[in-house]
Amino acid sequence: MGKVISAHSVSADGYITGRDPRAGHGLGDGGMLFDWYFDGDTPSQVFDGFKLSEPSARVFDFLAARVGAVVAGRNTYEDSDHFGGGSPHPGAKMVLLSHRPAPEITERQTLVTTGIEDAVAKALELAEGKDVGLMGGGVLASALEAGLVDEVVLHQVPILLGEGRPFFRKLPKHVKLALVEAVPAPGVTHLRYEVRR
């Protein structure tokens, strides 16, 4: 069975978007959080068009190759224009966790309305032994609260955004992490943590 992981670009002050994220405007004014995807000379082996630095490509492709399904929250789904009817990951199936109907959902996407446990269970089934990636702060907070997360990866970008959508939402309890790997790279530091249970 695969692991449940969250890997996300985040500012040094903890934001995953800039000001005013919304459909058609994506990350608001926080687009630079993903500059490291394109600032290198090493092509990703998983995502076409990504050219990363060598250390970033090593970390990114290691994680991306493990993912067989993605669980995204409704805000992320809407801000990302429904992922064009597909998935944010070229080789992974997409599960949308939402508490309301999604008439725009396609046959390539799966809607789960009964909570994080069911969404992760469905994603693990769809992943066929590979890992499940979590997208969005609300999804991560719910999964951490339910004790479902195995790893948290922060691709920390050296910028202070000061405002936007915070990655870590309010948690009902402390979550202990153990640092597994820290990889400095141009424009980003990759921090991989194991969740301690």
Side-chain angles (χ1 to χ4, degrees), residues 47-187:
F47 279 68
D48 287 340
F50 284 25
K51 290 190 83 172
L52 310 103
S53 68
E54 186 282 324
S56 287
R58 183 172 41 82
V59 171
F60 181 84
D61 282 350
F62 168 75
L63 294 167
R66 293 170 40 187
V67 175
V70 173
V71 177
R74 190 61 178 257
N75 285 339
T76 300
Y77 180 72
E78 296 294 344
D79 290 349
S80 302
D81 295 318
H82 312 148
F83 303 114
S87 172
H89 186 297
K93 299 176 176 112
M94 210 285 290
V95 175
L96 169 62
L97 174 60
S98 180
H99 298 294
R100 61 186 194 273
E104 68 282 353
I105 202 159
T106 71
E107 69 282 347
R108 296 184 307 161
Q109 301 171 330
T110 301
L111 174 65
V112 174
T113 60
T114 51
I116 190 66
E117 291 90 347
D118 290 340
V120 168
K122 183 62 178 177
L124 284 167
E125 175 190 323
L126 292 172
E128 299 177 340
K130 294 184 93 174
D131 291 349
V132 167
L134 303 176
M135 285 193 73
V139 166
L140 175 59
S142 296
L144 284 168
E145 182 178 354
L148 300 172
V149 182
D150 297 300
E151 292 182 14
V152 174
V153 180
L154 303 178
H155 303 296
Q156 191 175 64
V157 178
I159 188 167
L160 300 172
L161 290 175
E163 192 177 329
R165 188 170 290 141
F167 190 29
F168 293 101
R169 308 291 175 92
K170 184 176 177 182
L171 296 172
K173 59 183 179 182
H174 290 15
V175 177
K176 293 186 178 183
L177 305 174
L179 183 64
V180 174
E181 182 180 38
V183 179

